[in-house]
């Protein structure tokens, strides 16, 4: 009897598109009245103004157009996730060119020699850095290049691709869950709720620190276990294939760490420092970041003395390796396209508004958190969810004696938690695809940790509502 194989990420996401399209035939269409919020410079829904509108059920044509419109809206010409997909391809080319020089492999060998017997310390240090990026500026798509970088490092240390993927995904994700000054979550949500973004910051610090400690414990525990017994890895059946794919240039022989390779590694590191500075300080997004990595790839090729033919061939091959990830991003975005075009997003928000009205403080904040969890699956963008839900849900806190800042924290922690696992997130699906970790296996591995984080969030929110 042939063993059943779970479908790929592409099939899972396309199945969700079909499911949401089916719901557009069942859920009534509706919309809130929208008004411009001058502080956000965006239109936001007005609480209490929900009304039904003509339905627009999504059919077969809409289903097949959804991944296309997820990348680029064919009707309006507006960009969807095409900028992120292009960024992924350029990052693939940049990594391909850098790998070709042997600089990364030589650097990995030196790191492993220095950390001999202490490799597991990379986990808390790196997760702390990614968490810092998450809490300061909501590190998300910008984390995708680090998967390709960390997988060979972790494998050389005796771990597996899941250790690398979870270090990035859980690190940046727990930082976003406990955002302190993140302008794309905390600041937008607080503005939409009509409060200073510093209100409730101590609660979010508590979420950040406790969540980081839990995630470090969970990943480190797994890493030490599979280093002792590689057969316990959730991707043990892919071990030989992964070694060929990620460590193809590593022959076991010592690579000479030449001056040229040192310069290339410095350029490699500087590129990421510039990316973080550009996003956090200069307000860069995918266009500027992509251009910077393209320039960095050319600079690396010049330092390495590559011919024009070698450079272009290597760059294209590197981009080809991440083509599947770029496609996943478009399909994931297509789910949101179907929801919005089917006019059911606001209907679901209106149902949430009725659910929390008039509840006692502790029950109110926990039901609000659960609602934000559900909405986060449907609206994976943290800023998009803030603009959609805060103007409606935050004012309801006033009638229960709950501070609006706790509602902001409930939204933020729910969104951050869901974005550690949701298949509608291009970061989750894209990052796991880069690391070649099957989504369902990751889900099974991280499920107990998610339960612990859920309990932690509920306890912290409940205590805050009682104080």
């Amino acid at each position: 009897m042939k063993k059943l194989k779970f479908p790929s990420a592409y099939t899972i996401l396309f199945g969700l598109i079909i499911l949401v399209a089916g719901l557009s035939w069942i859920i009534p269409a509706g919309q809130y009245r929208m008004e411009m919020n001058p502080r956000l410079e965006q239109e936001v829904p007005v609480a209490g103004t929900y009304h039904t509108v003509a339905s627009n059920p999504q059919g077969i044509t809409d289903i097949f157009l959804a991944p296309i419109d997820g990348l680029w809206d064919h009707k309006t010409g507006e960009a969807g996730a095409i900028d992120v997909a292009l960024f992924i391809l350029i990052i693939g080319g940049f990594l391909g060119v850098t790998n070709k020089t042997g600089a990364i492999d030589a650097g990995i060998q030196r790191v492993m020699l220095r950390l001999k017997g202490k490799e597991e310390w990379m986990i808390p240090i790196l997760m702390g850095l990614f968490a810092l990026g998450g809490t300061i500026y909501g590190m998300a798509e910008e984390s995708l290049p680090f998967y390709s970088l960390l997988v060979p490092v972790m494998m050389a240390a005796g771990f597996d691709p899941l250790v690398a993927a979870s270090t990035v995904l859980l690190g940046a994700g727990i930082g976003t869950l406990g955002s302190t000054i993140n302008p794309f979550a905390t600041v937008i949500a607080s503005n939409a709720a009509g409060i200073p973004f510093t209100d409730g910051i101590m609660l979010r610090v508590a979420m950040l620190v406790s969540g980081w400690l839990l995630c470090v414990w969970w990943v480190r525990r797994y890493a030490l276990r599979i280093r002792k017994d590689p057969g316990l890895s959730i991707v043990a059946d892919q071990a030989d294939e992964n070694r060929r794919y990620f460590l193809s240039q590593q022959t076991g022989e010592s690579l000479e760490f030449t001056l040229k390779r040192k310069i290339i590694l410095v350029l490699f590191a500087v590129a990421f420092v510039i990316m973080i500075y550009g996003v956090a300080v200069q307000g860069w997004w995918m266009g500027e970041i992509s251009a910077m990595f393209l320039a960095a790839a050319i600079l690396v090729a010049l330092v390495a003395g590559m011919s024009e033919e070698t450079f272009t061939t290597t760059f294209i091959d590197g981009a080809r390796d991440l083509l599947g990830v770029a496609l996943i991003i478009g399909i994931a975005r297509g789910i949101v396209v179907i929801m919005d075009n089917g006019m059911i997003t606001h209907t679901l928000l209106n149902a949430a508004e009725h659910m929390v009205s008039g509840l006692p403080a502790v029950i109110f904040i926990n039901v609000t958190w659960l609602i934000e969890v559900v909405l986060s699956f449907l609206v994976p963008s943290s800023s998009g969810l803030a603009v959609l839900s805060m103007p409606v849900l935050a004012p309801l806190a006033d009638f229960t004696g709950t501070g609006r800042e706790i509602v902001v924290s409930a939204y933020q922690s729910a969104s951050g938690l869901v974005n550690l696992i949701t298949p509608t997130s291009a970061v989750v699906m894209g990052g796991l695809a880069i690391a070649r970790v099957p989504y369902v296996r990751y889900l099974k591995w991280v499920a107990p940790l998610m339960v612990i984080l859920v309990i932690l969030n509920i306890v912290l929110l409940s205590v805050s509502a009682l104080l």
Side-chain angles (χ1 to χ4, degrees), residues 134-178:
T135 193
I136 292 174
Y137 68 91
M139 189 178 198
E141 288 87 352
E142 308 92 320
S143 69
L144 289 171
F146 292 99
Y147 289 84
S148 294
L149 174 63
L150 281 186
V151 171
V153 173
M154 292 299 186
M155 289 184 67
F159 305 132
D160 68 3
L162 175 62
V163 174
S166 57
T167 296
V168 183
L169 180 54
L170 296 181
I174 207 68
T176 304
L177 184 154

Side-chain angles (χ1 to χ4, degrees), residues 87 126-147 167-177 179 182-185 272-273 275-276 279-280 285-286 382 419-420 425 427:
F87 164 67
L126 291 173
M127 289 187 80
L129 292 173
F130 288 123
L132 196 62
T135 193
I136 292 174
Y137 68 91
M139 189 178 198
E141 288 87 352
E142 308 92 320
S143 69
L144 289 171
F146 292 99
Y147 289 84
T167 296
V168 183
L169 180 54
L170 296 181
I174 207 68
T176 304
L177 184 154
S179 293
N182 175 8
F184 306 109
F272 287 96
V273 171
M275 177 191 75
I276 293 170
V279 172
W285 193 229
M286 292 295 111
S382 58
N419 281 323
L420 296 176
S425 168
V427 176

Side-chain angles (χ1 to χ4, degrees), residues 120-330:
E120 67 271 14
W121 283 104
M122 288 190 293
I123 296 170
I125 294 170
L126 291 173
M127 289 187 80
L129 292 173
F130 288 123
L132 196 62
T135 193
I136 292 174
Y137 68 91
M139 189 178 198
E141 288 87 352
E142 308 92 320
S143 69
L144 289 171
F146 292 99
Y147 289 84
S148 294
L149 174 63
L150 281 186
V151 171
V153 173
M154 292 299 186
M155 289 184 67
F159 305 132
D160 68 3
L162 175 62
V163 174
S166 57
T167 296
V168 183
L169 180 54
L170 296 181
I174 207 68
T176 304
L177 184 154
S179 293
T180 49
I181 58 173
N182 175 8
F184 306 109
T186 308
V187 175
I188 288 180
S190 297
N191 282 340
I195 59 173
F197 76 88
T198 51
D199 286 2
I201 193 169
M202 294 313 298
L203 170 58
R204 295 192 288 272
V205 168
M207 289 179 169
L208 172 66
V209 175
S210 56
W212 172 77
L213 288 171
L214 280 170
C215 290
V216 167
W217 165 74
W218 189 258
V219 176
R220 187 174 180 273
R221 173 173 165 267
Y222 170 78
L224 293 176
R225 186 191 305 162
I226 62 140
R227 186 168 65 179
K228 185 176 181 180
D229 183 0
L232 295 176
S233 168
I234 70 166
V235 289
D237 58 319
Q238 301 171 195
D240 292 338
E241 182 184 348
N242 283 335
R243 272 192 291 270
R244 286 193 299 270
Y245 184 81
F246 291 111
L247 305 176
S248 58
Q249 295 185 42
Q250 295 189 15
T251 61
E253 300 176 1
S254 179
L255 291 173
E256 188 179 356
F257 203 28
T258 62
L259 177 61
K260 184 179 292 186
R261 284 174 173 160
K262 290 178 181 178
I263 293 172
I264 289 171
L265 275 186
V266 169
L267 291 173
F268 185 83
V270 167
F272 287 96
V273 171
I274 292 174
M275 177 191 75
I276 293 170
Y277 171 80
V279 172
V281 179
Q282 297 296 322
W284 285 7
W285 193 229
M286 292 295 111
E288 294 88 346
I289 300 173
S290 298
M292 187 274 297
F293 275 112
L294 177 59
I298 295 172
L299 188 57
V300 166
L302 290 173
V303 172
M306 284 187 188
S307 67
E308 182 272 339
E309 182 181 2
T310 301
F311 168 70
T312 53
T313 302
T314 305
F315 189 92
I316 291 170
D317 286 343
R320 185 185 294 118
D321 287 341
L322 296 188
L323 179 60
V325 179
L327 293 176
I328 280 177
I329 288 169

Side-chain angles (χ1 to χ4, degrees), residues 6-17 331 335 423 429 439-440:
F6 204 87
S8 67
Y10 307 98
T11 305
I12 293 171
L13 291 172
F14 201 77
L16 288 173
I17 288 177
I331 300 172
I335 298 169
M429 303 306 283
Y439 172 69
V440 175

